[in-house]
Amino acid sequence: MLNTLIVGASGYAGAELTAYVNRHPQMNLTALGVSAQSNDAGKLLSDLHPQYKGVLDIPLQPLNDISELAKTVDLVFLATAHEVSHDMAPVFLDAGCVVCDLSGAFRVNQAEFYTRYYGFEHQHQDWLDRAVYGLAEWQHEAIKQAQLVAVPGCYPTAAQLALKPLVDGGLLNLDQWPVINAVSGVSGAGRKASLGNSFCEVSFQPYGIFNHRHQPEISAHLGVPVIFTPHLGNFARGIVETITCRLQPGVSAADIASTYQQAYHDKPLVRLYDKGVPALKAVVGLPYCDIGFSVQDEHLIVVAAEDNLLKGAAAQAVQCANIRFGFEPTQALI
Amino acid sequence: MLNTLIVGASGYAGAELTAYVNRHPQMNLTALGVSAQSNDAGKLLSDLHPQYKGVLDIPLQPLNDISELAKTVDLVFLATAHEVSHDMAPVFLDAGCVVCDLSGAFRVNQAEFYTRYYGFEHQHQDWLDRAVYGLAEWQHEAIKQAQLVAVPGCYPTAAQLALKPLVDGGLLNLDQWPVINAVSGVSGAGRKASLGNSFCEVSFQPYGIFNHRHQPEISAHLGVPVIFTPHLGNFARGIVETITCRLQPGVSAADIASTYQQAYHDKPLVRLYDKGVPALKAVVGLPYCDIGFSVQDEHLIVVAAEDNLLKGAAAQAVQCANIRFGFEPTQALI
Amino acid sequence: MLNTLIVGASGYAGAELTAYVNRHPQMNLTALGVSAQSNDAGKLLSDLHPQYKGVLDIPLQPLNDISELAKTVDLVFLATAHEVSHDMAPVFLDAGCVVCDLSGAFRVNQAEFYTRYYGFEHQHQDWLDRAVYGLAEWQHEAIKQAQLVAVPGCYPTAAQLALKPLVDGGLLNLDQWPVINAVSGVSGAGRKASLGNSFCEVSFQPYGIFNHRHQPEISAHLGVPVIFTPHLGNFARGIVETITCRLQPGVSAADIASTYQQAYHDKPLVRLYDKGVPALKAVVGLPYCDIGFSVQDEHLIVVAAEDNLLKGAAAQAVQCANIRFGFEPTQALI
Amino acid sequence: MLNTLIVGASGYAGAELTAYVNRHPQMNLTALGVSAQSNDAGKLLSDLHPQYKGVLDIPLQPLNDISELAKTVDLVFLATAHEVSHDMAPVFLDAGCVVCDLSGAFRVNQAEFYTRYYGFEHQHQDWLDRAVYGLAEWQHEAIKQAQLVAVPGCYPTAAQLALKPLVDGGLLNLDQWPVINAVSGVSGAGRKASLGNSFCEVSFQPYGIFNHRHQPEISAHLGVPVIFTPHLGNFARGIVETITCRLQPGVSAADIASTYQQAYHDKPLVRLYDKGVPALKAVVGLPYCDIGFSVQDEHLIVVAAEDNLLKGAAAQAVQCANIRFGFEPTQALI
């Protein structure tokens, strides 16, 4: 049994993590931590998320001395702000814990990336060097050895699962950059008071055009340029990405299908569509990434869908932890 | 032409007021005011409410010296917090302006009401004495003479329009208190950052059971006790109230119908249903209060619907101003 | 292992039933049946409900000769129209199957009830006499002996769980009929093409005032008159009922609390609130009925919430089957 | 005063048309027609669309002998199915009426287009030759002379308003086809019972990939190939299109801005954004098409938004009629 700590359980992804860990046969939920300043400290998780009443009536502990806490746990999930993860992760790592970080703090291995895209100076190049990017279907072997897993962002997970087999297989004509139009539920913005996320203000719209920080995350890991345009959807959960690409001459729909089959036939959390493309409702509340596509001449459109809080966050984090400790990758997830 | 000031135009009701005043042939929009501390000061109304781009590109002015401003305007709409209206209204009134206040600050004529239900000490018993409650269909003569009109709350408007003819006509058996179940759109909570109003948190539910301040407002003006239970609906705009009453013996559906006809046949902003009851969609974006009912034996269910921002706020305020200045009551509204 | 048949799996409740049975350790899913005329015959359940892709890729079989099929199964869930259940249930019962019927066909033991409220002549008074009403928390002993369980309607489940302890305990002053205002998600109307349920037409509104068939179901089983007013909510799933009652003199909030505690302290699918009342989001996707209340003088407001497809249909059906066969009542549900 | 007939007033666009015509100072609403087989025949428009109660209580007439009717009207709006418009329009045209057709029946001037994309053989090449495509901002002179105006589709209106100035100005590198990702509200599918449009089934998703009939409409009128991918949004009204293009070397953001300015500075129904891009809420209920854009190196993203029922249908139809008869283009619209 792994003594497991979740920091940031009060948020939407943190609550989902708690539910997974709570039903995991090899994980023991040691504590749920929140910032010492949080208004939620002392409340029960079920006070914040009433669906868990009677199920997860677990107090949210203010984290004061994490170095003491670090000695008592084996596995830490950080569902925290980037800067908080940046500061906390090394404390847990130095104490020997395995850390799965759901923030962006360790996703790209160059410190200057954080200066540019996240607005803070990264102080832990050593841990950036050792962090493993937790795109679980592709990093199995590295994750098995990792002490620090940087769980990918919600948008990058779907985008990379859709594009990586095609890029690696050389099927795309990259003279034309893949155009990723992605739509996310409002929960992607986190659980907090904000005028922009208020019920009466939310309205379908693009945002962060040409400057969302997930664009360089995708490009850095895929190794190719992309145009990434996120949109705020008027729904709570889920992501649908419509990706338009140019194929190399002679590449057929059958080639695409067999490439995806080869990549994912033994990956139970990626569901491939023989025909049609996924709708949002196919994935909400579920740990899958669904992928379908259509080809016309040299044009390819791939549609990938996932729950941003699950395969885009909590489920992939648990999947990484499962891989790291030699459990079934889908343990507690399906 | 009336020189007209709107204070609190940045909110949802304030923006609707602005649109009405802007198209009113006898009103001249002098200024849109916001609190001097507001982040919105200096922005255009259309920056906040993009539907008005190109139409209401009007700057929001920080209000510093309102006594100077008061000298330049004839008519003031206050779409402000209760305490702000309480402080501001007398300044405008003393300068001779007509004030239509959309807050609760002058709706009930006893100062102790505010101590108990609004949590502040009311300092202006003189203006409480002179304020006219702006339930427009019922206070026509008083409004014509008023300098200060206290526009009713959104819930009380629909409840009173539905119940007042029945109460006044003695049709109800009040041994059984009318049970008002009301559902409001989220805009009723105002335009502000708040976790409770965030897109992912909003979920149909009752709130303020037995202690919402609109209950005493309704009872005070109707002169009878009621049980009022508000609910947060998962929609942006509109109110539907389902009101269950006991009838006096012998009162028939025909009696109810003729009572409503008598009350409202010449009131264009109340629409009576011959059969069926209103749905939310009948009133959203419109200045009407729709009323339908059904009778079985001694039981009566009345359903009243309105747009909380219009007949429940901005439209009724303009209707009161129209009455006050001798215009058509529906001028600029339909 | 119980060989289990689900008829009507294509609908929303039927699909939920399939997911429960599929993970039930003592049930073996023999077949999913649909009407022989159904367009869905031959499709996979996951073609209709894409969330089950890769999980419940089970074909929907057209049911031709159910008497043959009846010999091969132990347990039948009928998630079918009232008339279909009325015709099919006796065939399965005569073959010795246990039947859990989710329709209204056997919920009230007088045949004339069906003539009046359902518009058909009931032909099976013998089975009406033997049917057990499956309000699971209250009929445990009878369900253990039943061959035919009539699973209660979605609205009546929440209403009765809220009111039955109070009625049985004599806490209510019934001179004033309890006023039940209930709001249901659109899935309550079933999975079918219908203008009224189309996305652009759905709008919060009351319907079926004074004539919804769930009113007599509630009154028949509670033994007291009630006023029941259903509303269509603009959400897909869940029910919230706000119930306003008059208390007997001297009954306190503490009396209510202890009455509920006594009734439900050992019933895991009813969650009682110490303070506050449930919101819709507390129960969507979950098998619980949540109950909270507030008292002021002689007035009581109880709020009960459930997922109409789960505790209001599929979960309660499985709960009844669990009780009938001696399994844990919550097996496969939580 | 133009005697005006609206056929298909029962639908969403037809009802909007009726509201516009009703308030148009130079149009007299002669009749609202529906198919002789329609269930709606004999009902009032306000029975179907309750927001118009007391405002548009106008009966829907079954159309039997349209050749007689044609003699009594000057202007006909056809908000009908493609095949119905194809059959009806020539009857009205031969009688001398001006016809504004909102269907696709006369939008592209080659008869074979209809065989291929609409599945019927077009019988009226003569009227195809004479039809004017009603993209109002661009066809002003032709519309003034037209007897038959083919009002563009909802998706093509926004796409062409966004792209036409850039294409005509030679600013785009068309080696890379513009990628149009469009999201429409459910009302785009019309007012009818359909499982796919039912409340519980609607879920954000792409559809019609590579084979939506609006793709060739856009390409035919722009004169350039495009990749057009429509999506069903989970909202009732509005369209947002995110269009990704490659610029010719050296084209700057300032060039784009000035090109749009030149095209639309005197076109009041196109609103240009100096900064940022439109959200859905900016246009719902309004007759505008809003356009914003962002440039990075040689990449351009344009966002265009409109109400699919207004600038994408009814408002543009009235705008065309206004132009045809020499009224202000925005008469009755703003």
Side-chain angles (χ1 to χ4, degrees):
Chain A
M1 292 294 280
L2 297 169
N3 286 321
T4 304
L5 169 69
I6 298 169
V7 186
S10 58
Y12 297 122
E16 297 288 343
L17 262 177
T18 307
Y20 282 139
V21 170
N22 186 58
R23 72 188 197 206
H24 198 295
Q26 286 101 2
M27 295 181 188
N28 173 48
L29 193 50
T30 304
L32 300 181
V34 294
S35 150
Q37 285 76 44
S38 170
N39 288 331
D40 296 325
K43 294 183 184 168
L44 303 182
L45 186 68
S46 54
D47 291 336
L48 278 59
H49 302 278
Q51 67 270 34
Y52 296 127
K53 185 176 165 58
V55 181
L56 298 175
D57 295 330
I58 305 172
L60 297 166
Q61 300 182 15
L63 292 185
N64 295 298
D65 184 353
I66 63 169
S67 58
E68 275 306 301
L69 187 59
K71 295 176 190 163
T72 69
V73 295
D74 307 301
L75 171 61
V76 178
F77 292 103
L78 297 178
T80 39
H82 313 297
E83 292 87 344
V84 175
S85 283
H86 170 272
D87 293 349
M88 275 193 181
V91 181
F92 289 111
L93 291 162
D94 290 342
C97 305
V98 168
V99 172
C100 292
D101 177 27
L102 285 80
S103 87
F106 297 92
R107 287 184 192 148
V108 173
N109 292 7
Q110 293 84 39
E112 57 272 25
F113 179 88
Y114 296 90
T115 315
R116 180 161 175 198
Y117 295 112
Y118 283 79
F120 66 85
E121 298 297 313
H122 208 293
Q123 309 295 325
H124 303 294
Q125 182 65 52
D126 52 338
W127 284 111
L128 286 179
D129 292 341
R130 295 172 62 186
V132 168
Y133 189 63
L135 190 68
E137 278 72 16
W138 291 89
Q139 301 288 339
H140 196 94
E141 293 309 308
I143 292 168
K144 282 169 73 170
Q145 316 293 331
Q147 193 187 349
L148 170 57
V149 179
V151 182
C154 53
Y155 286 124
T157 293
Q160 291 177 77
L161 290 175
L163 285 171
K164 192 166 173 54
L166 310 177
V167 169
D168 288 4
L171 280 67
L172 301 184
N173 176 346
L174 293 166
D175 291 346
Q176 182 169 327
W177 296 6
V179 174
I180 304 170
N181 268 265
V183 182
S184 172
V186 184
S187 61
R191 183 175 176 275
K192 62 187 177 209
S194 140
L195 183 59
N197 296 338
S198 73
F199 190 90
C200 297
E201 294 293 314
V202 166
S203 171
F204 187 89
Q205 66 183 119
Y207 68 98
I209 295 178
F210 289 130
N211 65 21
H212 193 282
R213 55 175 61 134
H214 282 175
Q215 188 274 333
E217 181 183 332
I218 297 168
S219 287
H221 287 285
L222 277 183
V224 300
V226 299
I227 297 176
F228 170 70
T229 309
H231 297 67
L232 181 67
N234 51 342
F235 45 85
R237 293 174 71 145
I239 281 178
V240 175
E241 305 193 5
T242 302
I243 307 174
T244 306
C245 308
R246 190 74 171 269
L247 294 172
Q248 291 286 13
V251 173
S252 68
D255 297 332
I256 307 292
S258 68
T259 299
Y260 278 131
Q261 274 297 330
Q262 194 170 340
Y264 298 124
H265 73 279
D266 58 351
K267 299 291 188 286
L269 297 187
V270 175
R271 300 191 298 191
L272 299 176
Y273 283 47
D274 290 335
K275 59 175 197 291
V277 296
L280 184 67
K281 64 183 171 184
V283 295
V284 172
L286 296 168
Y288 305 105
C289 180
D290 283 14
I291 298 175
F293 69 91
S294 189
V295 169
Q296 188 178 69
D297 304 328
E298 292 184 357
H299 303 288
L300 165 70
I301 292 175
V302 184
V303 179
E306 65 175 14
D307 188 317
N308 60 311
L309 299 178
L310 301 182
K311 183 60 179 166
Q316 185 152 257
V318 172
Q319 184 183 7
C320 289
N322 283 333
I323 292 169
R324 168 62 182 76
F325 289 101
F327 311 142
E328 274 295 300
T330 60
Q331 185 71 58
L333 301 179
I334 59 177
Chain B
M1 292 294 282
L2 296 168
N3 286 321
T4 304
L5 168 69
I6 297 169
V7 186
S10 58
Y12 297 121
E16 297 287 343
L17 264 176
T18 306
Y20 282 138
V21 170
N22 186 60
R23 71 188 199 209
H24 197 296
Q26 287 101 1
M27 295 183 188
N28 173 47
L29 192 49
T30 304
L32 300 181
V34 293
S35 152
Q37 287 74 44
S38 171
N39 288 329
D40 295 326
K43 294 182 184 168
L44 303 183
L45 187 69
S46 54
D47 290 335
L48 279 58
H49 302 278
Q51 67 270 34
Y52 296 127
K53 184 176 166 58
V55 182
L56 299 174
D57 296 328
I58 305 172
L60 297 165
Q61 300 182 14
L63 292 184
N64 295 299
D65 183 353
I66 64 170
S67 57
E68 276 306 302
L69 187 59
K71 295 176 191 162
T72 69
V73 294
D74 307 301
L75 171 60
V76 179
F77 292 102
L78 296 177
T80 39
H82 313 297
E83 293 87 343
V84 174
S85 284
H86 170 273
D87 293 350
M88 276 194 179
V91 180
F92 289 109
L93 292 162
D94 290 343
C97 306
V98 168
V99 173
C100 292
D101 177 25
L102 285 79
S103 87
F106 297 92
R107 288 184 191 148
V108 173
N109 292 8
Q110 293 84 39
E112 57 272 25
F113 180 87
Y114 296 90
T115 316
R116 180 162 174 197
Y117 295 111
Y118 284 78
F120 66 85
E121 297 299 313
H122 208 294
Q123 309 296 324
H124 304 293
Q125 182 64 53
D126 52 337
W127 284 112
L128 285 180
D129 292 342
R130 296 172 61 187
V132 169
Y133 189 63
L135 189 69
E137 279 72 17
W138 291 89
Q139 302 287 339
H140 194 96
E141 292 309 309
I143 291 167
K144 283 170 71 171
Q145 317 293 331
Q147 193 185 351
L148 170 57
V149 179
V151 182
C154 52
Y155 287 124
T157 293
Q160 291 176 79
L161 290 175
L163 284 170
K164 191 167 174 55
L166 310 178
V167 169
D168 288 3
L171 280 67
L172 301 185
N173 175 346
L174 293 166
D175 291 346
Q176 182 170 322
W177 296 6
V179 174
I180 305 170
N181 268 264
V183 182
S184 172
V186 183
S187 61
R191 184 175 175 276
K192 63 186 176 209
S194 140
L195 183 59
N197 296 339
S198 72
F199 190 91
C200 297
E201 294 293 314
V202 166
S203 169
F204 187 89
Q205 68 183 116
Y207 68 97
I209 296 178
F210 290 131
N211 65 21
H212 193 282
R213 56 177 56 135
H214 282 175
Q215 187 276 333
E217 181 183 332
I218 298 167
S219 287
H221 287 283
L222 277 183
V224 300
V226 299
I227 297 176
F228 170 70
T229 308
H231 298 66
L232 180 67
N234 49 343
F235 45 86
R237 292 175 72 144
I239 280 179
V240 175
E241 304 194 5
T242 302
I243 307 175
T244 306
C245 308
R246 189 75 171 267
L247 295 171
Q248 291 287 12
V251 174
S252 68
D255 297 332
I256 306 292
S258 68
T259 300
Y260 278 130
Q261 275 297 332
Q262 195 171 341
Y264 298 124
H265 72 278
D266 57 351
K267 300 291 187 285
L269 296 186
V270 176
R271 301 192 297 192
L272 299 175
Y273 283 47
D274 291 334
K275 59 176 196 293
V277 295
L280 183 67
K281 64 183 171 186
V283 295
V284 172
L286 297 168
Y288 305 105
C289 180
D290 283 15
I291 297 176
F293 69 92
S294 188
V295 169
Q296 188 178 68
D297 304 327
E298 293 183 355
H299 302 289
L300 165 69
I301 292 176
V302 184
V303 179
E306 65 176 13
D307 188 317
N308 59 310
L309 298 178
L310 301 182
K311 183 61 179 167
Q316 185 153 255
V318 173
Q319 184 183 8
C320 289
N322 283 333
I323 292 169
R324 169 62 181 76
F325 289 99
F327 311 141
E328 273 297 299
T330 59
Q331 185 72 56
L333 300 179
I334 58 177
Chain C
M1 292 293 281
L2 296 169
N3 287 320
T4 304
L5 169 70
I6 297 169
V7 186
S10 59
Y12 297 122
E16 296 288 343
L17 263 175
T18 306
Y20 282 139
V21 170
N22 186 59
R23 72 188 196 207
H24 198 296
Q26 287 102 2
M27 295 183 188
N28 173 47
L29 193 50
T30 304
L32 300 181
V34 293
S35 151
Q37 287 75 43
S38 169
N39 288 331
D40 295 326
K43 293 182 184 168
L44 303 183
L45 186 69
S46 54
D47 290 336
L48 278 61
H49 302 278
Q51 68 270 34
Y52 296 127
K53 185 176 166 56
V55 182
L56 298 174
D57 295 329
I58 305 172
L60 297 165
Q61 299 182 14
L63 292 185
N64 295 300
D65 184 354
I66 64 168
S67 59
E68 276 306 302
L69 186 59
K71 294 176 189 163
T72 69
V73 295
D74 307 301
L75 171 61
V76 179
F77 291 103
L78 297 177
T80 40
H82 312 298
E83 293 86 344
V84 174
S85 284
H86 170 271
D87 293 350
M88 276 194 181
V91 180
F92 289 110
L93 291 163
D94 290 343
C97 305
V98 168
V99 172
C100 292
D101 178 25
L102 285 79
S103 88
F106 297 92
R107 286 184 193 148
V108 173
N109 292 6
Q110 292 85 38
E112 56 272 25
F113 180 87
Y114 296 90
T115 315
R116 180 162 175 196
Y117 295 112
Y118 283 79
F120 68 85
E121 297 297 313
H122 208 292
Q123 309 296 324
H124 302 294
Q125 182 64 52
D126 53 336
W127 284 113
L128 285 178
D129 291 343
R130 296 172 62 188
V132 169
Y133 188 64
L135 189 68
E137 279 72 17
W138 292 89
Q139 301 288 338
H140 194 96
E141 292 309 308
I143 292 167
K144 282 169 72 172
Q145 316 293 329
Q147 194 186 349
L148 170 56
V149 179
V151 182
C154 52
Y155 287 125
T157 293
Q160 291 176 78
L161 290 174
L163 284 171
K164 192 166 174 54
L166 309 177
V167 169
D168 288 3
L171 279 66
L172 301 184
N173 176 346
L174 294 166
D175 291 346
Q176 182 170 323
W177 297 6
V179 174
I180 304 169
N181 269 265
V183 182
S184 173
V186 184
S187 61
R191 184 175 174 277
K192 62 187 177 209
S194 141
L195 183 59
N197 296 338
S198 73
F199 190 90
C200 297
E201 294 292 314
V202 166
S203 170
F204 187 89
Q205 68 183 118
Y207 69 96
I209 295 178
F210 289 132
N211 65 19
H212 194 282
R213 55 177 59 134
H214 282 176
Q215 186 275 332
E217 181 183 331
I218 297 167
S219 287
H221 287 284
L222 277 183
V224 301
V226 299
I227 297 176
F228 170 71
T229 308
H231 297 66
L232 180 67
N234 50 344
F235 46 86
R237 295 175 71 145
I239 281 178
V240 175
E241 305 193 5
T242 302
I243 307 174
T244 306
C245 308
R246 190 74 171 268
L247 293 172
Q248 291 287 14
V251 173
S252 68
D255 297 333
I256 306 292
S258 69
T259 299
Y260 278 131
Q261 274 297 330
Q262 195 169 341
Y264 298 124
H265 73 278
D266 57 351
K267 301 290 188 284
L269 297 186
V270 175
R271 301 191 297 191
L272 300 175
Y273 283 47
D274 290 335
K275 59 176 196 291
V277 295
L280 183 67
K281 64 183 171 184
V283 295
V284 172
L286 296 169
Y288 306 105
C289 180
D290 283 14
I291 298 175
F293 69 92
S294 188
V295 169
Q296 188 177 69
D297 304 328
E298 292 184 357
H299 302 289
L300 165 68
I301 292 175
V302 184
V303 179
E306 65 176 13
D307 188 316
N308 59 311
L309 299 178
L310 301 182
K311 184 59 179 167
Q316 185 154 252
V318 172
Q319 185 183 7
C320 289
N322 283 333
I323 291 170
R324 170 59 182 77
F325 289 99
F327 311 141
E328 274 295 301
T330 59
Q331 184 72 57
L333 300 179
I334 58 179
Chain D
M1 292 294 282
L2 297 169
N3 286 322
T4 304
L5 168 69
I6 297 169
V7 186
S10 59
Y12 297 121
E16 297 288 343
L17 263 176
T18 306
Y20 282 138
V21 171
N22 187 59
R23 71 186 196 209
H24 197 294
Q26 287 101 1
M27 296 183 190
N28 173 47
L29 192 50
T30 304
L32 300 182
V34 294
S35 152
Q37 287 75 44
S38 170
N39 287 330
D40 295 326
K43 294 182 184 168
L44 303 183
L45 186 70
S46 55
D47 291 335
L48 278 59
H49 301 279
Q51 67 271 34
Y52 296 126
K53 185 177 167 58
V55 182
L56 298 174
D57 296 328
I58 305 171
L60 297 166
Q61 300 182 14
L63 293 185
N64 295 298
D65 184 352
I66 63 170
S67 57
E68 276 305 303
L69 187 59
K71 296 177 191 162
T72 69
V73 295
D74 307 301
L75 171 61
V76 179
F77 291 102
L78 297 177
T80 40
H82 313 297
E83 292 87 343
V84 174
S85 284
H86 170 272
D87 294 349
M88 276 193 179
V91 180
F92 289 110
L93 292 162
D94 290 343
C97 306
V98 168
V99 173
C100 292
D101 178 26
L102 285 79
S103 87
F106 296 92
R107 286 183 193 148
V108 173
N109 291 9
Q110 293 84 39
E112 56 273 26
F113 180 87
Y114 295 90
T115 315
R116 179 161 176 198
Y117 294 112
Y118 283 80
F120 67 85
E121 298 297 315
H122 208 292
Q123 309 296 324
H124 303 294
Q125 181 65 54
D126 52 338
W127 284 112
L128 285 179
D129 291 342
R130 297 172 59 187
V132 169
Y133 188 65
L135 189 69
E137 278 72 16
W138 292 89
Q139 302 287 339
H140 195 95
E141 292 309 309
I143 292 168
K144 283 170 70 171
Q145 316 293 331
Q147 192 185 351
L148 169 58
V149 179
V151 182
C154 53
Y155 287 124
T157 293
Q160 291 175 78
L161 290 175
L163 284 171
K164 191 167 174 54
L166 309 178
V167 169
D168 289 3
L171 280 66
L172 301 184
N173 175 346
L174 293 166
D175 292 345
Q176 183 170 323
W177 297 6
V179 174
I180 305 169
N181 268 263
V183 182
S184 172
V186 184
S187 60
R191 185 176 174 275
K192 62 185 178 212
S194 140
L195 184 58
N197 296 339
S198 73
F199 190 91
C200 297
E201 294 292 315
V202 166
S203 171
F204 186 89
Q205 67 183 118
Y207 68 97
I209 295 177
F210 289 131
N211 64 20
H212 193 283
R213 56 175 59 133
H214 282 175
Q215 187 275 332
E217 181 182 332
I218 298 167
S219 287
H221 287 285
L222 277 184
V224 300
V226 298
I227 297 176
F228 170 69
T229 308
H231 297 68
L232 179 68
N234 50 343
F235 45 85
R237 293 174 72 144
I239 281 179
V240 175
E241 304 193 7
T242 302
I243 307 174
T244 307
C245 307
R246 191 75 171 267
L247 294 173
Q248 292 287 12
V251 173
S252 69
D255 296 332
I256 307 292
S258 69
T259 299
Y260 278 130
Q261 275 297 331
Q262 194 170 340
Y264 298 124
H265 72 279
D266 57 351
K267 301 289 187 285
L269 297 186
V270 175
R271 300 191 297 191
L272 300 176
Y273 283 47
D274 290 334
K275 60 175 196 291
V277 295
L280 183 67
K281 64 183 171 186
V283 294
V284 172
L286 296 168
Y288 305 105
C289 179
D290 283 14
I291 297 175
F293 69 92
S294 188
V295 169
Q296 189 179 67
D297 304 328
E298 293 183 356
H299 303 287
L300 165 69
I301 292 176
V302 183
V303 179
E306 65 176 12
D307 189 316
N308 58 310
L309 299 178
L310 301 182
K311 182 60 177 166
Q316 186 154 254
V318 172
Q319 185 183 7
C320 289
N322 283 334
I323 291 169
R324 169 62 182 76
F325 290 99
F327 311 141
E328 272 297 298
T330 59
Q331 184 73 56
L333 301 179
I334 57 178

